[in-house]
């Protein structure tokens, strides 16, 4: 029940007070994102953590002037791979073999299957697939933050190309997918803070097929 209580407590904060989130909490939130499942275990994204005030200001300018971008403690940028390459796929398969200390024939066959598929696909299709994986980690970060008593603001309202330029992401083979300001709510300036959470009733959301 504790986790559900935390999820009922959380909401998309519309104003933050600038208070710093402790680094140990930030590390646990990031670790939850790192542990998120992804398709084929490729983890096709990176998380850029911004504490720099000037960079936050630049991103706010291309983020619909939303105050939480500058008033948050840490700004997470979930940046997906711009495409899948043989090098990127091989890195994750090689890492798995190194960590586990052995090679598996089925695993190596699966590597070849991916190598024969993803790199040949259109880059935009690959980016969209990678961005979906980033969203899984993004959701884990939101839940982990709530568990830590930390507020977040899931944010798609920004100029992705401009953010990419500000952070030099394209040169790294990355494209921004979604933003997550992390911090603490400023209750006296947040119109949403005291409103009841509204979600579909369970019977409108879930269908059980026996």
């Amino acid at each position: 029940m504790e986790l559900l209580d935390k999820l009922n407590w959380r909401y998309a904060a519309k104003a933050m007070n600038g208070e710093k989130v402790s680094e140990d909490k930030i590390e646990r939130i990031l670790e939850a994102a790192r542990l998120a499942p992804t398709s084929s275990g490729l983890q096709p994204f990176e998380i850029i953590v911004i504490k720099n005030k000037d960079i936050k200001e630049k991103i706010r300018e291309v983020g619909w002037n939303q105050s939480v971008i500058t008033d948050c403690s840490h700004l997470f940028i979930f940046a997906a791979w711009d495409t899948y390459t043989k090098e990127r796929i091989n890195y994750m398969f090689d890492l798995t073999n190194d960590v586990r200390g052995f090679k598996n024939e089925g695993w190596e066959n699966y590597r070849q299957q991916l190598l024969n598929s993803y790199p040949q696909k259109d880059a935009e299709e690959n980016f969209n697939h990678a961005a979906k994986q980033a969203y899984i980690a993004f959701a884990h970060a939101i839940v982990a933050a709530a568990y830590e008593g930390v507020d977040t603001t899931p944010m798609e309202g920004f100029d992705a190309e401009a953010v990419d330029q500000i952070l030099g992401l394209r040169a790294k083979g990355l494209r921004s997918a979604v933003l997550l300001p992390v911090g603490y709510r400023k209750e006296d300036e947040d119109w949403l803070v005291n409103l009841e959470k509204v979600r579909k009733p369970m019977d409108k959301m879930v269908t059980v097929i026996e």
Side-chain angles (χ1 to χ4, degrees), residues 39-55:
S39 179
S40 302
L42 292 178
Q43 294 183 289
F45 59 88
E46 295 182 20
I47 305 171
I48 316 300
V49 180
I50 300 172
K51 297 188 278 186
N52 183 279
K53 179 180 178 181
D54 292 337
I55 295 177

Side-chain angles (χ1 to χ4, degrees), residues 123-146:
E124 190 67 20
E125 179 182 354
N126 279 341
F127 165 72
N128 288 332
H129 184 270
K132 290 179 181 178
Q133 312 314 307
Y135 268 83
I136 299 172
F138 170 74
H140 275 57
I142 293 169
V143 173

Side-chain angles (χ1 to χ4, degrees), residues 63-106:
W64 297 1
N65 196 36
Q66 296 177 82
S67 65
V68 289
I69 295 175
T70 49
D71 295 341
C72 67
S73 173
H74 296 64
L75 177 63
F76 292 4
I77 313 290
F78 288 77
W81 291 354
D82 57 0
T83 192
Y84 289 99
T85 65
K86 291 183 177 180
E87 292 77 15
R88 284 170 159 170
I89 292 170
N90 279 327
Y91 171 81
M92 287 306 300
F93 276 80
D94 290 343
L95 176 63
T96 299
N97 290 340
D98 288 344
V99 170
R100 292 176 177 171
F102 64 89
K103 288 187 176 181
N104 176 278
E105 182 179 357

Side-chain angles (χ1 to χ4, degrees), residues 104-158:
N104 176 278
E105 182 179 357
W107 184 240
E108 291 303 316
N109 289 339
Y110 188 56
R111 180 207 297 252
Q112 289 305 315
Q113 181 180 335
L114 295 188
L115 290 173
N116 292 333
S117 175
Y118 282 157
Q120 286 73 44
K121 292 183 178 181
D122 178 75
E124 190 67 20
E125 179 182 354
N126 279 341
F127 165 72
N128 288 332
H129 184 270
K132 290 179 181 178
Q133 312 314 307
Y135 268 83
I136 299 172
F138 170 74
H140 275 57
I142 293 169
V143 173
Y147 190 80
E148 296 286 345
V150 173
D151 289 297
T152 54
T153 308
M155 188 175 295
E156 292 182 310
F158 65 98

